């Protein structure tokens, strides 16, 4: 039986009305987790209002 471990990260978009993240920094961090054997399985935002995003939630998994 395969065993998995999971890691969930939250990235704040900043600002009272929602904001942006640095795309290159975000990509670099995803690549860093990938180089450690983590596989991205889900990425979604949490809504704030009027289409703005409050946070971005990222879920990774890897074999134990």
């Amino acid at each position: 039986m395969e065993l998995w471990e999971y890691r969930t990260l939250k990235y704040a978009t900043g600002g009272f009305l929602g904001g942006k993240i640095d795309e290159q920094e975000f990509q670099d961090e995803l690549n860093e987790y990938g180089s450690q054997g983590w596989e991205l399985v889900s990425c979604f935002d949490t809504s704030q209002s009027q289409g703005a995003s409050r946070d971005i939630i990222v879920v990774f998994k890897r074999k134990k």
Side-chain angles (χ1 to χ4, degrees):
M1 179 170 106
E2 291 184 317
L3 298 176
W4 300 91
E5 62 179 323
Y6 295 88
R7 174 162 289 173
T8 302
L9 305 174
K10 179 171 79 169
Y11 296 92
T13 59
F16 177 72
L17 298 176
K20 297 182 180 182
I21 61 168
D22 182 304
E23 290 179 39
Q24 186 62 51
E25 184 179 316
F26 185 65
Q27 180 174 303
D28 291 345
E29 190 157 0
L30 294 178
N31 284 326
E32 178 62 30
Y33 279 97
S35 71
Q36 295 173 21
W38 292 100
E39 178 183 358
L40 178 67
V41 294
S42 183
C43 184
F44 57 92
D45 70 326
T46 58
S47 299
Q48 187 163 317
S49 64
Q50 299 177 352
S53 297
R54 174 171 289 164
D55 299 307
I56 296 173
I57 309 297
V58 180
V59 181
F60 295 96
K61 74 174 184 179
R62 71 177 174 186
K63 291 182 182 179
K64 279 191 160 186

